[in-house]
Amino acid sequence: MKETGSMAVLIDGENVSEKYLKFIFEELSNYEENITYKRIYGDWTDNRLSSWKKVLLDYSIIPIQQYSYTSGKNSTDSALIIDAMDILYSGDVTAFCIVSSDSDFTRLATRLRESSMRVVGMGERKTPKAFISACESFKYLEVLSSSSLQDTAEAKTQNQTTVTDSNGTAAGDRDQKDDIADLIPIIRRIVEETCDETGFTYLGTVGNLLQRKLSDFDVRNYGYKTLTQLVRAAKVFSVDIRHQNGLAPLTYIAIKKRGNHA
């Protein structure tokens, strides 16, 4: 049996809102690693962080106190980085999740990956590209919350419960979707480079290569739940669902030829 790895979740409490905590751990529950470290960093004497206190108890997160000794200097970032390196050298984990929208953690993410650690980043849309690219994968907090709330709203609708907002999304988290038109040339290139003699390539291969090329790639960024839905919406790819005896069907895609509307 394959041994399950472990993960350290380190949160920049001064750079992330507590409203996202539920969605962070919902997303991490999809990962194979067990979460063994849950720490959040900030100056807890600052009243601006008081809203964190209840949710920290709910999720058993250890708050790490870091006083702001000097104006203009972020001591919290330094404390998180030092802890991350201590955890790395302990040999207790195989992955890190760094939750912040701050580019100061770019070098940390790079260093952890140099040590063969899996690094998942989470932050808001404002996160600098440098930090996003340094992570193996990066998830936008607005997208995680929007997707989760929409799923909840749909479940309520199916149960004939009145839902006042069909999106189930907070006003501040709406209307931010990546443009699928920017993704189409990348998918076309992947298909061209990996297709067989019939022009088709396995969609799972496309998804894996998209993640390698774009660390922040997630179909939810574009408003879809599956990659199949996304490529169908692009309207430039043919989709072939291949059924197997007793096995789950496999999806293959090819670039549509002119006049082909399948």
Side-chain angles (χ1 to χ4, degrees):
M1 180 180 293
K2 182 181 178 181
E3 184 177 352
T4 302
S6 56
M7 174 181 283
V9 181
L10 308 179
I11 304 170
D12 179 1
E14 296 180 348
N15 197 260
V16 173
S17 170
E18 79 283 351
K19 71 178 181 179
Y20 291 123
L21 199 59
K22 173 180 182 287
F23 310 113
I24 290 169
F25 284 100
E26 280 183 357
E27 178 68 15
L28 290 175
S29 68
N30 297 321
Y31 288 72
E32 62 182 14
E33 293 89 358
N34 295 316
I35 298 175
T36 52
Y37 290 86
K38 291 189 286 185
R39 297 180 182 179
I40 186 168
Y41 301 80
D43 182 356
W44 303 104
T45 63
D46 190 332
N47 289 332
R48 290 175 297 180
L49 297 182
S50 61
S51 58
W52 273 104
K53 293 180 181 178
K54 182 182 184 302
V55 291
L56 295 186
L57 293 173
D58 292 342
Y59 288 90
S60 301
I61 301 174
I62 297 175
I64 306 298
Q65 170 63 32
Q66 184 61 43
Y67 293 101
S68 299
Y69 296 108
T70 307
S71 177
K73 300 292 184 181
N74 198 331
S75 300
T76 297
D77 290 1
S78 299
L80 190 156
I81 291 169
I82 291 170
D83 261 14
M85 296 309 295
D86 285 345
I87 294 170
L88 171 66
Y89 289 126
S90 74
D92 292 337
V93 303
T94 56
F96 284 81
C97 176
I98 302 171
V99 185
S100 179
S101 303
D102 195 337
S103 63
D104 288 351
F105 298 111
T106 301
R107 183 66 187 99
L108 172 63
T110 302
R111 176 65 183 83
L112 294 174
R113 293 189 68 187
E114 288 174 349
S115 295
S116 300
M117 292 289 111
R118 180 182 188 184
V119 180
V120 177
M122 295 188 183
E124 295 180 322
R125 288 276 190 175
K126 65 183 180 181
T127 305
K129 187 65 176 177
F131 178 42
I132 293 172
S133 299
C135 299
E136 179 179 321
S137 63
F138 191 92
K139 305 297 179 181
Y140 293 115
L141 295 174
E142 297 96 333
V143 173
L144 295 183
S145 63
S146 176
S147 177
S148 178
L149 290 170
Q150 186 173 356
D151 287 345
T152 301
E154 289 175 354
K156 289 181 179 179
T157 300
Q158 290 172 0
N159 290 327
Q160 297 183 337
T161 301
T162 301
V163 179
T164 56
D165 183 348
S166 61
N167 245 351
T169 307
D173 292 338
R174 294 191 198 125
D175 302 327
Q176 281 193 308
K177 292 181 181 178
D178 290 343
D179 189 351
I180 193 174
D182 295 332
L183 191 64
I184 290 174
I186 302 173
I187 298 178
R188 288 179 64 98
R189 195 173 308 116
I190 291 173
V191 173
E192 289 170 349
E193 293 173 353
T194 61
C195 67
D196 59 21
E197 63 277 4
T198 67
F200 279 89
T201 191
Y202 176 48
L203 189 59
T205 300
V206 175
N208 289 336
L209 291 176
L210 278 172
Q211 185 68 74
R212 290 185 186 181
K213 292 175 181 290
L214 306 170
S215 59
D216 60 341
F217 172 73
D218 190 318
V219 293
R220 293 170 294 186
N221 295 351
Y222 302 85
Y224 300 97
K225 292 185 177 181
T226 67
L227 187 54
T228 302
Q229 291 176 348
L230 188 152
V231 295
R232 285 189 188 278
K235 298 181 179 180
V236 297
F237 301 103
S238 296
V239 178
D240 182 16
I241 308 296
R242 302 181 183 179
H243 295 275
Q244 308 175 92
N245 292 331
L247 298 174
L250 299 178
T251 302
Y252 287 76
I253 67 170
I255 300 169
K256 279 185 179 179
K257 297 177 181 178
R258 289 189 179 183
N260 183 358
H261 300 290

